[in-house]
């Protein structure tokens, strides 16, 4: 039997063209392909079932879908061209790589397949080659075997070298494959330890399959593998069959399932095993389909895209860009321009030196947004079919497999888009996206639209589709044949694992948004049970806003959430009683977290407009500000909340302010108290000037060392204010307090060492310029 080995680069258009030409010339009657041997039944489907590349074959553990390997195909992938060539001529394709059933059995979840291992070899003596030790060099070779060739040729990685050397040329295919095989053979002989145990197992299995193929009766056999493997499989007689068999003995195995899923050019541009990290897939597509006119087509398309973005991009400038790209290629010794020359030429012509314009072209034309297609009926399940029906009926089918971020229903006039939940079809869109999120298929991310978003009828969604979502749908199909059924069962399973009230409250809200009324009653009952069992005030406080939001959801969506109001009724007295203990003897980090929960809970309760709830809540705040040992940040915020509720009037607020700002308390605690009081808004300082005078006096009397210590705290406090508020405060800081704003504050005895003082006269600074400069910093 005659054999011929072809070393290729995964997703290389030059490799694909040369391989196709070489197969025409060599005319094999059997093709052995570097693909997992247990993909035998699926390989022909990539060209015979109506799939449109890029697509990926996913092989996964049937009992644990997180153990999965993806094998993408683009139309310019040599493997795809080999399969298409073979199917056209009814030539058998025989996958010979290590089966996924063995590979996945040894891999942890979420670990993608890798062409070459990355584990480091044991330390060895230093080598003078390029200043690297042998350990460093071999580790590099295991990550990227051909990177050394790239470095020797002056490139930073193997992709740039391969692209310039092997993807653009039009030389003789067979001679090129022979030369590449010889080069890799020399590289492997020079660095024999650059291959690890995993790589050795794979090549041992390939040789085992080749030996079987040699007995198949075929006359002309083509072996198509990644270039690095070529020397290891070109002549199996150099290797002992018994050694290969021993290396493969006792490999673990799992049961494998398979599916085809759409892939995308942005995903193909990421290095992930057989995804293989080509940085310019859209350009490679053009280079493969139109090798003689690719440069002209790319530049003309770039000009069109820039014009669509509103930039000047004339045909004359595009012609100039082509000329510059060709000149750059000639200067660098290349037969034709590559993407580096094209983008540099574009930057100097059509993009007018603007990097942001080049970024648009890079995203749309170099990487591209192309997404593949897998027809219904090819490895489909009822849940996928149900999703397709929902996508079609809600007019979202075109968005499902579209790469890149996009706002739902965005327009030029309204780039963030938005859906109106009073419109039936928009409401169904919302339900669909929420159900997918419940299944952990986060195609859409709900965007914040203000604190009262739940009481409005508008939702803003940012969509970003990922190829693995199709795989997740296949896995989630075990929960039900329709989206509502699967999402409800999946949510119920997750709820059973939740031990605290906050995530359970959020899950209940998500199910309400997804219109899953069958599961909500059980979730609400679980909420009551968790709330009754929870004694941690901080976690209850953190859950309260979500509980309130969920109860209010019924108001705007006509959903019965009475049970949640009962949970809040039971929860609130326990919170009010436990606030002082939760705020006592805690550090600043814990106090900052609790401050956020306290503020959010206060805002949420205000939305209920329930007098009984307000009375219970403010009684808890009184306990908080009256207890000893409470963290000053929380005490200050408690006083502010009572002031906002009208429980403390202006003079009382000023007295508490004055006592808190006493120098006897120390600079840091005072800054904390002030930060708590002013959290979220500083407008109170405008409405009641004596408070500003107290702050002003306190700051002016600080030692410079203390001022520098508290400056970060003050800056953090004032950074949350609006730009308008900061400017007004800065104006006050520069000009002092106006005569008509001066009002006395009743002094309080706070100890032997200090007391509150009366505000009198304009503020006098010992070094006004220094202080105002500092104020400029902490006010923004």
């Amino acid at each position: 039997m005659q054999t011929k080995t072809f070393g290729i680069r995964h997703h290389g258009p030059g490799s694909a063209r040369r391989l196709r030409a070489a197969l025409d010339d060599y005319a094999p009657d059997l093709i052995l392909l570097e693909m997992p041997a247990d993909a035998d039944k699926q390989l022909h489907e990539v060209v015979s079932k109506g799939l449109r590349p890029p697509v990926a074959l996913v092989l996964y553990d049937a009992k644990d879908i997180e153990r999965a390997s993806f094998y993408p195909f683009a139309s310019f992938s040599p493997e795809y061209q080999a399969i298409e060539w073979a199917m056209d001529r009814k030539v058998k394709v025989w996958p010979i790589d290590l089966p996924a059933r063995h590979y996945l059995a040894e891999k942890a979840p979420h670990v993608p397949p890798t062409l070459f291992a990355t584990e480091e070899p044991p330390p060895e003596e230093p080598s003078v080659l390029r200043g690297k030790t042998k350990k460093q060099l071999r580790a590099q070779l295991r990550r990227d075997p051909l990177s050394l060739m790239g470095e020797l040729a002056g490139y930073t990685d193997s992709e740039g070298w391969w692209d310039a050397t092997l993807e653009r040329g039009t030389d003789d295919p067979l001679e090129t494959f022979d030369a590449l095989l010889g080069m890799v053979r020399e590289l492997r002989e020079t660095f024999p330890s650059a291959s690890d145990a995993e790589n050795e197992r794979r090549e041992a299995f390939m040789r085992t399959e080749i030996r079987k193929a040699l007995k198949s009766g075929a006359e002309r056999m083509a072996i198509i593998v990644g270039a690095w493997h070529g020397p290891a499989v070109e002549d199996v007689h150099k290797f002992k069959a018994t050694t290969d068999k021993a290396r493969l003995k006792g490999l673990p195995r799992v049961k494998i399932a398979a599916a085809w899923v759409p892939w995308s050019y942005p995903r193909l541009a990421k290095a992930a095993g057989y995804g293989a990290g080509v940085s310019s897939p859209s350009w490679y597509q053009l280079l493969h389909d139109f090798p003689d006119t690719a440069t002209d087509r790319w530049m003309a398309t770039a000009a069109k895209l820039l014009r669509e973005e509103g930039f000047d991009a004339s045909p004359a400038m595009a012609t100039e860009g082509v000329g510059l790209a060709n000149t750059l290629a000639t200067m660098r010794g290349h037969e034709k321009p590559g993407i580096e020359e094209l983008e540099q030429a574009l930057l100097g012509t059509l993009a007018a030196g603007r990097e942001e314009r080049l970024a648009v072209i890079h995203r749309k034309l170099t990487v591209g947004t192309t997404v593949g297609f897998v027809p219904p009926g090819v490895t489909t399940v009822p849940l996928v079919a149900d999703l397709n029906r929902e996508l079609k009926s809600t007019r979202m089918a075109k968005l499902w497999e579209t790469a890149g971020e996009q706002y739902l229903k965005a327009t030029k006039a309204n780039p963030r888009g938005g859906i109106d939940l009073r419109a039936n079809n928009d409401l169904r869109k919302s339900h669909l996206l929420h159900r997918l999120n419940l299944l952990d298929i986060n195609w859409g991310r709900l965007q914040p639209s203000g604190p009262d978003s739940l009481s409005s009828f508008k939702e803003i969604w940012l969509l970003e589709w990922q190829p693995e979502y199709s795989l997740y749908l296949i896995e989630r199909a075990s929960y039900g044949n329709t989206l509502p059924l699967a999402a409800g069962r999946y949510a119920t399973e997750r709820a059973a694992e939740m031990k605290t009230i906050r995530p359970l409250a959020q899950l209940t809200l998500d199910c309400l948004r997804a219109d899953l009324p069958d599961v909500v009653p059980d979730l609400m009952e679980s909420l009551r049970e968790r709330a009754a069992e929870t004694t941690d005030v901080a976690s209850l406080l953190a859950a309260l806003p979500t509980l309130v939001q969920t109860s209010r959801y019924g108001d705007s969506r006509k959903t019965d959430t009475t049970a949640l109001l009962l949970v809040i009724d039971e929860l609130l007295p326990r919170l009010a009683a436990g606030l002082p203990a939760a705020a006592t003897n805690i550090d600043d980090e814990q106090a900052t977290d609790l401050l956020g929960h306290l503020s959010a809970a206060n805002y949420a309760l205000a939305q209920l407009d329930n007098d009984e709830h307000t009375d219970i809540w403010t009684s808890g705040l009184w306990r908080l500000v009256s207890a000893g040992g409470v963290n000053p940040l929380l005490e200050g915020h408690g006083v502010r909340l009572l002031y906002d509720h009208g429980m403390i009037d202006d003079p009382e607020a000023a007295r508490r302010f004055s006592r808190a700002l006493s120098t006897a308390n120390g600079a840091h605690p005072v800054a904390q108290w002030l930060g708590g009081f002013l959290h979220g808004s500083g407008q109170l300082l405008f409405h009641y000037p004596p408070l500003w005078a107290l702050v002003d006096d306190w700051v002016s009397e600080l030692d410079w060392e203390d001022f520098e210590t508290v400056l970060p705290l003050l800056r953090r406090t004032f950074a949350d204010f609006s730009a308008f508020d900061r400017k007004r405060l800065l104006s006050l800081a520069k000009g002092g307090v106006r005569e008509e704003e001066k009002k006395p504050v009743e002094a309080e005895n706070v100890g032997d060492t200090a007391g509150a003082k009366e505000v009198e006269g304009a503020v006098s600074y010992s070094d006004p310029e220094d202080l105002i400069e500092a104020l400029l910093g902490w006010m923004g």
Side-chain angles (χ1 to χ4, degrees), residues 103 144 159 182 212 279 281 335 401 461 507 527 575 621 658:
Y103 178 84
D144 186 356
E159 181 176 355
K212 294 178 184 177
S279 61
E335 182 179 336
E401 293 176 348
W461 289 90
L507 182 63
L527 265 174
L575 276 175
L621 294 176
S658 176

Side-chain angles (χ1 to χ4, degrees), residues 420-746:
D420 187 341
L421 301 182
R422 293 169 294 185
N424 182 60
N425 200 264
D426 279 3
L427 181 60
R428 291 182 59 204
K429 287 182 174 73
S430 175
H431 291 162
L432 172 61
L433 291 167
H434 281 301
R435 289 166 184 173
L436 287 172
N437 281 343
L438 282 170
L439 290 168
D440 288 333
I441 301 172
N442 301 309
W443 176 34
R445 300 193 301 276
L446 187 61
Q447 302 299 292
S449 56
D452 294 321
S453 58
L454 282 179
S455 61
S456 72
F457 291 94
K458 183 177 182 180
E459 286 183 347
I460 298 174
W461 289 90
L462 180 60
L463 307 180
E464 185 177 16
W465 180 82
Q466 299 292 344
E468 58 263 31
Y469 293 160
S470 299
L471 174 61
Y472 294 165
L473 275 169
I474 294 171
E475 192 273 341
R476 304 295 188 262
S478 62
Y479 290 89
N481 292 339
T482 65
L483 277 175
L485 185 60
R489 289 177 177 173
Y490 194 69
T492 301
E493 181 179 286
R494 289 173 57 199
E497 300 172 353
M498 293 177 177
K499 304 303 181 185
T500 57
I501 186 173
R502 189 180 183 185
L504 189 56
Q506 184 62 51
L507 182 63
T508 304
L509 177 58
D510 292 340
C511 288
L512 283 167
R513 287 168 163 169
D515 191 28
L516 301 177
D518 292 340
V519 303
V520 169
D522 289 340
L523 292 178
M524 289 187 179
E525 183 59 32
S526 297
L527 265 174
R528 294 191 67 182
E529 294 174 0
R530 296 288 193 282
E533 296 167 355
T534 302
T535 58
D536 181 8
V537 172
S539 64
L540 291 176
L541 195 64
L544 186 61
T546 305
L547 292 172
V548 172
Q549 288 178 332
T550 307
S551 69
R552 292 184 64 221
Y553 201 81
D555 296 336
S556 57
R557 307 300 188 274
K558 298 181 180 180
T559 305
D560 184 11
T561 55
T562 306
L564 275 183
L565 291 174
L566 295 176
V567 175
I568 295 170
D569 290 343
E570 297 167 358
L571 191 64
L572 203 51
R574 294 166 53 199
L575 276 175
L579 276 179
T584 303
N585 297 324
I586 59 176
D587 59 28
D588 288 349
E589 183 177 354
Q590 293 170 312
T592 301
D593 291 339
L594 197 58
L595 173 69
H597 298 323
L598 191 67
S599 178
N602 182 76
Y603 179 86
L605 287 171
Q607 308 311 300
L608 291 179
D609 195 21
N610 183 304
D611 291 340
E612 184 178 351
H613 288 165
T614 301
D615 290 342
I616 296 172
W617 177 244
T618 54
S619 70
L621 294 176
W622 275 115
R623 293 188 184 96
L624 176 70
V625 302
S626 303
V630 171
N631 186 283
L633 182 73
L634 299 170
E635 182 185 344
H637 194 58
V639 171
R640 172 59 183 271
L641 295 181
L642 288 170
Y643 179 88
D644 290 342
H645 279 284
M647 309 298 290
I648 292 179
D649 58 16
D650 288 344
E652 174 64 16
R655 281 192 293 271
R656 287 179 177 268
F657 216 98
S658 176
R659 184 174 60 187
L661 267 58
S662 169
T663 55
N665 294 328
H668 182 82
V670 170
Q672 287 284 84
W673 195 98
L674 182 62
F677 186 87
L678 297 177
H679 176 73
S681 173
Q683 293 196 6
L684 184 58
L685 299 178
F686 313 139
H687 301 324
Y688 193 53
L691 294 183
W692 166 254
L694 288 168
V695 176
D696 199 46
D697 278 352
W698 173 69
V699 173
S700 66
E701 292 177 0
L702 284 172
D703 292 335
W704 191 257
E705 183 178 345
D706 287 338
F707 181 72
E708 288 184 319
T709 300
V710 302
L711 193 58
L713 295 174
L714 295 174
R715 191 182 193 285
R716 189 159 58 239
T717 298
F718 283 81
D720 291 335
F721 298 169
S722 69
F724 176 75
D725 287 350
R726 292 201 301 269
K727 287 180 180 178
R728 288 187 65 184
L729 290 174
L730 185 57
S731 177
L732 287 176
K734 289 181 176 179
V737 182
R738 297 193 307 268
E739 263 323 301
E740 64 271 19
E741 294 176 338
K742 299 171 194 172
K743 294 181 181 178
V745 178
E746 182 180 337

Side-chain angles (χ1 to χ4, degrees), residues 214-450:
L214 290 172
K215 301 176 183 178
S216 66
E219 295 181 359
R220 298 170 67 84
M221 185 168 66
I223 304 171
I224 302 172
V225 293
W228 180 253
H229 300 298
V233 300
E234 66 169 327
D235 186 359
V236 297
H237 301 299
K238 294 180 180 179
F239 302 85
K240 292 184 179 180
T242 53
T243 302
D244 287 343
K245 185 177 180 180
R247 190 170 276 129
L248 298 170
K249 186 177 180 180
L251 292 179
R253 64 173 60 200
V254 294
K255 184 178 179 181
I256 292 295
W260 285 101
V261 298
W263 211 244
S264 68
Y265 279 174
R267 178 54 61 90
L268 201 64
K270 298 178 180 178
Y274 284 89
V278 292
S279 61
S280 51
S282 187
W283 159 247
Y284 272 4
Q285 176 77 63
L286 198 63
L287 188 61
H288 177 266
D289 294 346
F290 306 100
D292 296 329
T293 59
T295 300
D296 296 340
R297 288 174 179 269
W298 189 91
M299 198 67 72
T301 306
K304 179 183 177 183
L305 290 173
L306 287 172
R307 287 194 296 272
E308 290 174 355
E309 294 290 327
F311 302 120
D312 291 333
S314 67
M317 294 172 66
T319 301
E320 184 181 347
V322 170
L324 180 56
N326 286 324
T327 300
L328 288 172
T330 301
M331 291 174 60
R332 294 167 181 174
H334 303 320
E335 182 179 336
K336 294 181 178 180
I339 195 59
E340 184 177 358
E341 289 77 26
L342 284 168
E343 289 195 340
Q344 289 174 350
L346 177 84
L347 186 62
T349 54
L350 288 165
R354 305 292 292 274
E355 292 287 349
E356 64 272 17
R357 300 185 188 183
L358 176 60
V360 171
I361 300 305
H362 181 81
R363 183 178 70 255
K364 292 185 175 183
L365 191 57
T366 300
V367 175
T369 59
T370 302
V371 176
F373 172 71
V374 177
V378 178
T379 53
T380 191
V381 292
L383 181 60
V384 174
D386 182 66
L387 173 64
N388 289 332
R389 285 192 294 269
E390 282 295 303
L391 290 170
K392 184 177 181 180
S393 64
T394 56
R395 297 191 291 276
M396 296 175 69
K398 291 183 179 179
L399 303 175
W400 170 244
E401 293 176 348
T402 301
E405 291 186 343
Q406 54 188 318
Y407 282 98
L408 181 59
K409 297 188 73 172
T411 63
K412 287 187 177 180
N414 182 19
R416 279 171 55 87
I419 57 176
D420 187 341
L421 301 182
R422 293 169 294 185
N424 182 60
N425 200 264
D426 279 3
L427 181 60
R428 291 182 59 204
K429 287 182 174 73
S430 175
H431 291 162
L432 172 61
L433 291 167
H434 281 301
R435 289 166 184 173
L436 287 172
N437 281 343
L438 282 170
L439 290 168
D440 288 333
I441 301 172
N442 301 309
W443 176 34
R445 300 193 301 276
L446 187 61
Q447 302 299 292
S449 56

